[in-house]
Amino acid sequence: GERILEALYRESAEELGFHDFNPVHLETYVFESEIERELVYVFAAVGNFELHPDHDEVEEGKWWSFESIDAHLSKSIFTPNFEMEFQKIRHSLEALL
């Protein structure tokens, strides 16, 4: 019964210690693979933020530039879902910067 934005704020706070941001909705789509099917809501938060990951929730994190992502696409670094989604939202992300 949780609304999308409620879940977004809760998960962002729990996993990343991320508070006080205004999410920008970029895309909603259905992702389907051989093992799963899920409804995906994609949001962006633009600004200068300090994250504090909860290491019980998040094992590791890294900041990636667009150039670095481009250099690692199709090299089995990212999940197929990430690669597809990045191509789908890239122009929207660039427009926010």
Side-chain angles (χ1 to χ4, degrees):
E2 189 174 42
R3 294 175 185 224
I4 296 300
L5 285 178
E6 291 170 337
L8 173 66
Y9 285 118
R10 179 182 51 76
E11 287 292 329
S12 297
E14 286 176 7
E15 296 182 9
L16 301 173
F18 194 34
H19 303 276
D20 301 323
F21 65 101
N22 293 313
V24 177
H25 180 255
L26 299 180
E27 183 86 25
T28 301
Y29 66 93
V30 174
F31 174 76
E32 194 166 356
S33 70
E34 293 177 11
I35 59 171
E36 67 180 335
R37 183 171 198 244
E38 61 185 54
L39 180 59
V40 179
Y41 292 86
V42 182
F43 292 87
V46 177
N48 187 15
F49 303 103
E50 187 174 323
L51 302 180
H52 302 280
D54 178 340
H55 296 290
D56 290 333
E57 295 277 342
V58 178
E59 184 175 316
E60 184 179 10
K62 178 179 177 175
W63 292 105
W64 293 78
S65 66
F66 283 99
E67 294 79 18
S68 186
I69 292 172
D70 287 338
H72 290 87
L73 289 172
S74 301
K75 295 186 178 174
S76 299
I77 302 289
F78 305 118
T79 64
N81 187 9
F82 174 85
E83 291 203 8
M84 181 274 304
E85 185 172 290
F86 181 71
Q87 297 302 325
K88 191 181 264 261
I89 66 168
R90 180 189 188 114
H91 295 296
S92 296
L93 289 173
E94 289 173 330
L96 291 171
L97 297 177

